[in-house]
Amino acid sequence: MKKQIGCSDEHDTLIRSYLADRLIHDEDSFIENGKTIRVCIWWDSNQFPKV
């Protein structure tokens, strides 16, 4: 993600600190608290008959 927003390695400490305050470490993964403005919606258009 650093490449996407144009951050260099000099920001690693700041980024790690930010993420440590906001993510929950669960074994081998990180979990966000669930508050997000992103959403993904999809549906199967073949589910409904065409008229």
Side-chain angles (χ1 to χ4, degrees):
M1 185 139 192
K2 287 190 323 182
K3 289 180 183 179
Q4 292 176 344
I5 60 174
C7 284
S8 65
D9 291 343
E10 71 184 81
H11 296 101
D12 281 358
T13 303
L14 180 62
I15 293 169
R16 288 179 187 277
S17 174
Y18 176 85
L19 293 175
D21 289 343
R22 286 159 180 80
L23 299 178
I24 300 166
H25 186 238
D26 181 27
E27 294 182 21
D28 61 343
S29 61
F30 291 91
I31 302 169
E32 189 179 9
N33 66 5
K35 296 178 183 176
T36 182
I37 60 172
R38 297 179 183 185
V39 63
C40 179
I41 300 174
W42 74 92
W43 57 89
D44 181 1
S45 63
N46 294 319
Q47 177 182 2
F48 304 101
K50 300 199 187 312
V51 259

